[in-house]
Amino acid sequence: MRRALILALGTALTTVGLALAVHAAPAKGPPPAADPTVSPPGWSPPRNAMGQPDLSGYWSNATMTPLTRNAKLTDKLVIPAAQAASLEKVFAEALAAADAPTDQKKGPGAVTDPNSPEAQLVKIRPDFAAAGGDVGGYNTFWIDPGNHMMEVNGEYRSSILTTPNGMPPARKAGAPPGRGFPRDIYDSYENRSLGERCIMGFGANAGPPMLANGYYNNNYNIVQSPDAVVIQVELIHDTRIIRLKGGHRTDGVRQWMGDSIGHFEGATLVVETTNIPQGQAFMGSWKNLKVTEWFTRVSPTRINYRFQVEDPDTWDKPWGGEYDFSPLHGIVYEYACHEGNYALPAILAGARRQEQDGAKGGPKPGAE
C-alpha cells in the first residue's frame, strides 16, 4: 500500500511538473562556457612590444592523452566528449586507488593483477607499466600526468599523433632500428642514457618535437626577444634557443636539441630544426631528420602546437601530431637532477662488483 502511494504521488508530481513546464517561461540559465581551445569570435592574438605574436609565459602540455593511440579504447583520432569524460573519471579513480595506503595483508598491487588499481591504469595508459612495473620504477604518488584528455579545436583526441592509426608509420626497408634505452650496457657512463647522466630529460620534453613525458615536469616558460624565442623546459632545466635570424649552421656541430631556426608567419611561429645529435635520435632517426613545428596562439589560454618529422632514409613521407599548451598556474622552478651524482656512480659500481663476482662464477652484469 505504501509503495503504491509513493508511486501515485510521484506520478502526480511529475504530471503537475510537466503541466507547469508547458505554461512557465523558459528558465534562463548561465550561457555555456566558451571552449578555450576555440578562437573566440572577433578575438585577435595578442602581440608583444616588439610586434611579435605573444607566446610568452608559463605553459604546460601535461595530458592524459598518450602520444600513440590505444587501439583497445578506440580506432579514431577524435572521441566523443562523453567518452573523454568517462576516461578521465576512470583515470582519476584508478590514480586515487593506487595512491591509497597499501593493504598490509594483500601487499602492493601489480600490473599483472587484473583487479589492482595499477592494472586499471595500464588499461588506459599501457606506458605506465614501465613507470612502476620494474625495480626502481615510480609508484603513482610521484606521477602528475595531468587530469584531462587533450582537446584541440573543440575536439577530444585519443592520441597526440595524427596519423590514421595514431601510430608512427612503418619504417623503410634498411632504415636503422629505433634506438632503445641501453639497460644492460654498463661499460662506461657514456653508455648510459642522457637522463641518467643529467644531460637532457628523459622522453622528449625539450624536443624537438616537444612532447609530454606522461609522468611529471611537463612545464615550460617561453621568453621572446628580437633575435630569439627561448623555451625553458622544466625537466632537467633545459633551455632551448630558437634563433630568429640567420640560417642553419654548416660546421657539422650537432648541439643538444639541434639547430632551430624560427620565423613568424602571421600569428604563427614556424620553427625548423636540423643537425640533431645522435644521442637525441627521435625513434631512431637523427642524421637526416628535419622537424618542423608550428606555435599558434588560438585563444587567450591556449597555444596550439603542431609538429612534423621527416627523414627520407627512415619514412616514406612526413608525419606528425598536434596538441594544445594550457596555462601553468605557477612558475617553473629549477629541476635538480641527482642521478648523475648518486645513481650513475652506484650503477657503475654495481656492474664492477658483478664483474668481480662473475670472475668467481657468480652472475654477470645484466643477468637476471
Side-chain angles (χ1 to χ4, degrees):
M1 182 66 181
R2 183 182 179 189
R3 182 172 183 271
L5 180 62
I6 293 173
L7 289 174
L9 181 60
T11 302
L13 289 172
T14 302
T15 303
V16 172
L18 289 173
L20 290 173
V22 170
H23 295 92
K28 293 183 178 180
D35 190 326
T37 70
V38 178
S39 296
W43 178 82
S44 297
R47 291 184 175 268
N48 58 27
M50 297 168 286
Q52 302 168 341
D54 193 356
L55 304 171
S56 63
Y58 295 97
W59 304 92
S60 174
N61 61 5
T63 177
M64 280 176 52
T65 299
L67 175 65
T68 57
R69 192 168 308 151
N70 186 345
K72 294 181 180 179
L73 298 179
T74 182
D75 62 352
K76 296 178 174 59
L77 173 63
V78 179
I79 60 176
Q83 183 182 8
S86 177
L87 289 172
E88 290 176 356
K89 182 174 182 293
V90 172
F91 194 80
E93 291 175 348
L95 275 176
D99 282 342
T102 300
D103 187 318
Q104 298 301 311
K105 294 182 179 179
K106 294 182 179 179
V111 296
T112 55
D113 177 3
N115 297 318
S116 70
E118 287 79 3
Q120 299 304 313
L121 279 176
V122 171
K123 287 181 182 178
I124 302 174
R125 289 287 298 271
D127 55 307
F128 272 29
D134 200 356
V135 174
Y138 295 104
N139 55 34
T140 53
F141 174 84
W142 300 104
I143 295 176
D144 180 23
N147 303 313
H148 302 287
M149 297 294 290
M150 179 57 65
E151 187 183 4
V152 177
N153 195 28
E155 299 175 338
Y156 287 96
R157 300 293 179 86
S158 64
S159 62
I160 299 300
L161 296 189
T162 52
T163 54
N165 63 354
M167 300 295 289
R171 304 172 76 82
K172 296 176 70 171
R179 184 178 181 183
F181 180 73
R183 292 183 61 87
D184 296 325
I185 303 177
Y186 308 97
D187 295 338
S188 165
Y189 63 89
E190 293 183 334
N191 300 127
R192 307 310 300 166
S193 72
L194 298 180
E196 240 176 39
R197 297 165 62 190
C198 295
I199 294 176
M200 297 294 301
F202 66 83
N205 290 78
M210 297 168 59
L211 303 171
N213 64 49
Y215 304 115
Y216 48 57
N217 297 114
N218 297 298
N219 303 316
Y220 303 82
N221 179 23
I222 299 179
V223 180
Q224 295 172 242
S225 78
D227 300 326
V229 175
V230 179
I231 304 177
Q232 177 192 7
V233 186
E234 181 177 21
L235 192 63
I236 312 290
H237 50 265
D238 298 322
T239 300
R240 183 181 177 196
I241 300 176
I242 299 166
R243 292 183 289 121
L244 299 178
K245 297 179 180 179
H248 288 293
R249 61 191 309 158
T250 58
D251 56 7
V253 174
R254 293 176 179 265
Q255 62 198 39
W256 296 123
M257 296 171 280
D259 182 30
S260 295
I261 303 296
H263 68 277
F264 291 100
E265 293 183 1
T268 299
L269 171 65
V270 184
V271 182
E272 181 183 277
T273 304
T274 59
N275 297 311
I276 294 170
Q278 185 175 10
Q280 282 189 282
F282 180 69
M283 298 186 180
S285 169
W286 64 279
K287 191 172 184 179
N288 294 310
L289 175 64
K290 181 172 78 171
V291 181
T292 306
E293 302 160 285
W294 294 265
F295 298 77
T296 307
R297 189 79 171 266
V298 294
S299 82
T301 58
R302 293 293 185 275
I303 293 177
N304 179 258
Y305 173 81
R306 292 186 296 121
F307 71 90
Q308 175 181 280
V309 296
E310 52 186 302
D311 179 352
D313 298 329
T314 306
W315 299 288
D316 285 329
K317 58 183 180 180
W319 57 280
E322 179 182 28
Y323 65 78
D324 273 8
F325 284 99
S326 59
L328 172 66
H329 300 294
I331 66 175
V332 172
Y333 291 92
E334 179 187 7
Y335 181 101
C337 178
H338 72 84
E339 279 81 357
N341 296 326
Y342 298 100
L344 189 58
I347 287 170
L348 298 179
R352 303 293 81 78
R353 177 58 184 265
Q354 279 195 322
E355 289 170 350
Q356 294 174 8
D357 292 343
K360 300 176 183 178
K364 296 181 179 180
E368 294 291 336

PDB file of all heavy atoms in Angstrom, residues 34-46 153 297-302:
ATOM      1  N   ALA A  34      32.616  29.343 -22.842  1.00  0.00           N
ATOM      2  CA  ALA A  34      33.338  29.304 -24.106  1.00  0.00           C
ATOM      3  C   ALA A  34      34.413  28.227 -24.053  1.00  0.00           C
ATOM      4  O   ALA A  34      35.053  28.025 -23.024  1.00  0.00           O
ATOM      5  CB  ALA A  34      33.955  30.670 -24.394  1.00  0.00           C
ATOM      6  N   ASP A  35      34.591  27.528 -25.153  1.00  0.00           N
ATOM      7  CA  ASP A  35      35.618  26.496 -25.234  1.00  0.00           C
ATOM      8  C   ASP A  35      36.977  27.166 -25.390  1.00  0.00           C
ATOM      9  O   ASP A  35      37.208  27.876 -26.381  1.00  0.00           O
ATOM     10  CB  ASP A  35      35.331  25.577 -26.418  1.00  0.00           C
ATOM     11  CG  ASP A  35      36.210  24.338 -26.438  1.00  0.00           C
ATOM     12  OD1 ASP A  35      37.379  24.437 -26.016  1.00  0.00           O
ATOM     13  OD2 ASP A  35      35.743  23.276 -26.863  1.00  0.00           O
ATOM     14  N   PRO A  36      37.886  26.987 -24.452  1.00  0.00           N
ATOM     15  CA  PRO A  36      39.179  27.690 -24.524  1.00  0.00           C
ATOM     16  C   PRO A  36      40.063  27.236 -25.678  1.00  0.00           C
ATOM     17  O   PRO A  36      41.046  27.912 -25.999  1.00  0.00           O
ATOM     18  CB  PRO A  36      39.832  27.372 -23.179  1.00  0.00           C
ATOM     19  CG  PRO A  36      39.208  26.080 -22.759  1.00  0.00           C
ATOM     20  CD  PRO A  36      37.794  26.128 -23.262  1.00  0.00           C
ATOM     21  N   THR A  37      39.727  26.099 -26.306  1.00  0.00           N
ATOM     22  CA  THR A  37      40.551  25.618 -27.411  1.00  0.00           C
ATOM     23  C   THR A  37      40.109  26.182 -28.754  1.00  0.00           C
ATOM     24  O   THR A  37      40.723  25.884 -29.777  1.00  0.00           O
ATOM     25  CB  THR A  37      40.524  24.077 -27.481  1.00  0.00           C
ATOM     26  OG1 THR A  37      39.220  23.637 -27.904  1.00  0.00           O
ATOM     27  CG2 THR A  37      40.847  23.465 -26.136  1.00  0.00           C
ATOM     28  N   VAL A  38      39.025  26.967 -28.746  1.00  0.00           N
ATOM     29  CA  VAL A  38      38.486  27.555 -29.976  1.00  0.00           C
ATOM     30  C   VAL A  38      38.636  29.074 -29.902  1.00  0.00           C
ATOM     31  O   VAL A  38      38.338  29.685 -28.872  1.00  0.00           O
ATOM     32  CB  VAL A  38      37.010  27.176 -30.155  1.00  0.00           C
ATOM     33  CG1 VAL A  38      36.444  27.828 -31.410  1.00  0.00           C
ATOM     34  CG2 VAL A  38      36.847  25.655 -30.225  1.00  0.00           C
ATOM     35  N   SER A  39      39.063  29.694 -30.984  1.00  0.00           N
ATOM     36  CA  SER A  39      39.236  31.146 -31.002  1.00  0.00           C
ATOM     37  C   SER A  39      37.888  31.842 -30.800  1.00  0.00           C
ATOM     38  O   SER A  39      36.936  31.560 -31.536  1.00  0.00           O
ATOM     39  CB  SER A  39      39.846  31.586 -32.332  1.00  0.00           C
ATOM     40  OG  SER A  39      41.140  31.057 -32.500  1.00  0.00           O
ATOM     41  N   PRO A  40      37.780  32.734 -29.822  1.00  0.00           N
ATOM     42  CA  PRO A  40      36.527  33.461 -29.611  1.00  0.00           C
ATOM     43  C   PRO A  40      36.207  34.353 -30.812  1.00  0.00           C
ATOM     44  O   PRO A  40      37.118  34.855 -31.484  1.00  0.00           O
ATOM     45  CB  PRO A  40      36.814  34.304 -28.367  1.00  0.00           C
ATOM     46  CG  PRO A  40      37.999  33.670 -27.727  1.00  0.00           C
ATOM     47  CD  PRO A  40      38.801  33.089 -28.835  1.00  0.00           C
ATOM     48  N   PRO A  41      34.921  34.557 -31.114  1.00  0.00           N
ATOM     49  CA  PRO A  41      34.551  35.432 -32.244  1.00  0.00           C
ATOM     50  C   PRO A  41      35.140  36.829 -32.063  1.00  0.00           C
ATOM     51  O   PRO A  41      35.040  37.439 -31.007  1.00  0.00           O
ATOM     52  CB  PRO A  41      33.015  35.457 -32.175  1.00  0.00           C
ATOM     53  CG  PRO A  41      32.639  34.205 -31.455  1.00  0.00           C
ATOM     54  CD  PRO A  41      33.734  33.959 -30.467  1.00  0.00           C
ATOM     55  N   GLY A  42      35.774  37.320 -33.108  1.00  0.00           N
ATOM     56  CA  GLY A  42      36.328  38.668 -33.068  1.00  0.00           C
ATOM     57  C   GLY A  42      37.626  38.802 -32.303  1.00  0.00           C
ATOM     58  O   GLY A  42      38.174  39.908 -32.197  1.00  0.00           O
ATOM     59  N   TRP A  43      38.153  37.703 -31.789  1.00  0.00           N
ATOM     60  CA  TRP A  43      39.376  37.771 -30.976  1.00  0.00           C
ATOM     61  C   TRP A  43      40.606  37.780 -31.881  1.00  0.00           C
ATOM     62  O   TRP A  43      40.671  37.067 -32.890  1.00  0.00           O
ATOM     63  CB  TRP A  43      39.427  36.578 -30.027  1.00  0.00           C
ATOM     64  CG  TRP A  43      40.659  36.517 -29.167  1.00  0.00           C
ATOM     65  CD1 TRP A  43      40.889  37.186 -28.012  1.00  0.00           C
ATOM     66  CD2 TRP A  43      41.821  35.704 -29.395  1.00  0.00           C
ATOM     67  NE1 TRP A  43      42.124  36.848 -27.502  1.00  0.00           N
ATOM     68  CE2 TRP A  43      42.716  35.947 -28.332  1.00  0.00           C
ATOM     69  CE3 TRP A  43      42.184  34.802 -30.394  1.00  0.00           C
ATOM     70  CZ2 TRP A  43      43.954  35.317 -28.237  1.00  0.00           C
ATOM     71  CZ3 TRP A  43      43.420  34.180 -30.312  1.00  0.00           C
ATOM     72  CH2 TRP A  43      44.297  34.443 -29.241  1.00  0.00           C
ATOM     73  N   SER A  44      41.596  38.559 -31.523  1.00  0.00           N
ATOM     74  CA  SER A  44      42.866  38.589 -32.243  1.00  0.00           C
ATOM     75  C   SER A  44      43.989  38.211 -31.296  1.00  0.00           C
ATOM     76  O   SER A  44      44.007  38.660 -30.139  1.00  0.00           O
ATOM     77  CB  SER A  44      43.143  39.985 -32.815  1.00  0.00           C
ATOM     78  OG  SER A  44      42.161  40.333 -33.766  1.00  0.00           O
ATOM     79  N   PRO A  45      44.929  37.385 -31.743  1.00  0.00           N
ATOM     80  CA  PRO A  45      46.051  37.009 -30.876  1.00  0.00           C
ATOM     81  C   PRO A  45      46.819  38.231 -30.424  1.00  0.00           C
ATOM     82  O   PRO A  45      47.059  39.151 -31.220  1.00  0.00           O
ATOM     83  CB  PRO A  45      46.904  36.103 -31.776  1.00  0.00           C
ATOM     84  CG  PRO A  45      45.976  35.624 -32.838  1.00  0.00           C
ATOM     85  CD  PRO A  45      44.997  36.732 -33.062  1.00  0.00           C
ATOM     86  N   PRO A  46      47.234  38.299 -29.168  1.00  0.00           N
ATOM     87  CA  PRO A  46      47.974  39.466 -28.675  1.00  0.00           C
ATOM     88  C   PRO A  46      49.370  39.532 -29.280  1.00  0.00           C
ATOM     89  O   PRO A  46      49.935  38.518 -29.678  1.00  0.00           O
ATOM     90  CB  PRO A  46      48.033  39.228 -27.171  1.00  0.00           C
ATOM     91  CG  PRO A  46      47.952  37.733 -27.026  1.00  0.00           C
ATOM     92  CD  PRO A  46      47.040  37.276 -28.120  1.00  0.00           C
ATOM     93  N   ASN A 153      40.914  22.394 -30.755  1.00  0.00           N
ATOM     94  CA  ASN A 153      39.882  22.993 -31.587  1.00  0.00           C
ATOM     95  C   ASN A 153      38.499  22.400 -31.304  1.00  0.00           C
ATOM     96  O   ASN A 153      37.720  22.107 -32.214  1.00  0.00           O
ATOM     97  CB  ASN A 153      40.223  22.846 -33.071  1.00  0.00           C
ATOM     98  CG  ASN A 153      39.393  23.761 -33.958  1.00  0.00           C
ATOM     99  OD1 ASN A 153      38.954  24.823 -33.528  1.00  0.00           O
ATOM    100  ND2 ASN A 153      39.164  23.343 -35.186  1.00  0.00           N
ATOM    101  N   ARG A 297      48.958  30.943 -31.096  1.00  0.00           N
ATOM    102  CA  ARG A 297      48.057  31.330 -30.007  1.00  0.00           C
ATOM    103  C   ARG A 297      46.632  31.309 -30.556  1.00  0.00           C
ATOM    104  O   ARG A 297      46.264  32.157 -31.377  1.00  0.00           O
ATOM    105  CB  ARG A 297      48.442  32.712 -29.502  1.00  0.00           C
ATOM    106  CG  ARG A 297      47.738  33.178 -28.230  1.00  0.00           C
ATOM    107  CD  ARG A 297      48.355  32.548 -26.995  1.00  0.00           C
ATOM    108  NE  ARG A 297      47.816  33.151 -25.787  1.00  0.00           N
ATOM    109  CZ  ARG A 297      48.378  34.163 -25.131  1.00  0.00           C
ATOM    110  NH1 ARG A 297      49.509  34.700 -25.590  1.00  0.00           N
ATOM    111  NH2 ARG A 297      47.847  34.627 -24.031  1.00  0.00           N
ATOM    112  N   VAL A 298      45.804  30.369 -30.113  1.00  0.00           N
ATOM    113  CA  VAL A 298      44.463  30.217 -30.664  1.00  0.00           C
ATOM    114  C   VAL A 298      43.377  30.797 -29.764  1.00  0.00           C
ATOM    115  O   VAL A 298      42.228  30.915 -30.173  1.00  0.00           O
ATOM    116  CB  VAL A 298      44.147  28.734 -30.968  1.00  0.00           C
ATOM    117  CG1 VAL A 298      45.043  28.215 -32.080  1.00  0.00           C
ATOM    118  CG2 VAL A 298      44.285  27.875 -29.718  1.00  0.00           C
ATOM    119  N   SER A 299      43.713  31.116 -28.533  1.00  0.00           N
ATOM    120  CA  SER A 299      42.750  31.724 -27.615  1.00  0.00           C
ATOM    121  C   SER A 299      43.539  32.375 -26.482  1.00  0.00           C
ATOM    122  O   SER A 299      44.766  32.203 -26.390  1.00  0.00           O
ATOM    123  CB  SER A 299      41.772  30.675 -27.063  1.00  0.00           C
ATOM    124  OG  SER A 299      42.336  29.959 -25.982  1.00  0.00           O
ATOM    125  N   PRO A 300      42.864  33.117 -25.607  1.00  0.00           N
ATOM    126  CA  PRO A 300      43.609  33.735 -24.501  1.00  0.00           C
ATOM    127  C   PRO A 300      44.341  32.738 -23.618  1.00  0.00           C
ATOM    128  O   PRO A 300      45.318  33.112 -22.951  1.00  0.00           O
ATOM    129  CB  PRO A 300      42.505  34.462 -23.713  1.00  0.00           C
ATOM    130  CG  PRO A 300      41.453  34.762 -24.725  1.00  0.00           C
ATOM    131  CD  PRO A 300      41.458  33.574 -25.658  1.00  0.00           C
ATOM    132  N   THR A 301      43.912  31.469 -23.631  1.00  0.00           N
ATOM    133  CA  THR A 301      44.514  30.492 -22.711  1.00  0.00           C
ATOM    134  C   THR A 301      45.050  29.246 -23.407  1.00  0.00           C
ATOM    135  O   THR A 301      45.252  28.217 -22.751  1.00  0.00           O
ATOM    136  CB  THR A 301      43.486  30.064 -21.649  1.00  0.00           C
ATOM    137  OG1 THR A 301      42.334  29.514 -22.315  1.00  0.00           O
ATOM    138  CG2 THR A 301      43.080  31.231 -20.779  1.00  0.00           C
ATOM    139  N   ARG A 302      45.285  29.296 -24.699  1.00  0.00           N
ATOM    140  CA  ARG A 302      45.791  28.119 -25.396  1.00  0.00           C
ATOM    141  C   ARG A 302      46.803  28.508 -26.466  1.00  0.00           C
ATOM    142  O   ARG A 302      46.636  29.519 -27.166  1.00  0.00           O
ATOM    143  CB  ARG A 302      44.663  27.316 -26.050  1.00  0.00           C
ATOM    144  CG  ARG A 302      43.682  26.651 -25.099  1.00  0.00           C
ATOM    145  CD  ARG A 302      44.337  25.537 -24.302  1.00  0.00           C
ATOM    146  NE  ARG A 302      43.378  24.823 -23.487  1.00  0.00           N
ATOM    147  CZ  ARG A 302      42.981  25.185 -22.273  1.00  0.00           C
ATOM    148  NH1 ARG A 302      43.481  26.303 -21.726  1.00  0.00           N
ATOM    149  NH2 ARG A 302      42.111  24.469 -21.590  1.00  0.00           N
TER     150      ARG A 302
END
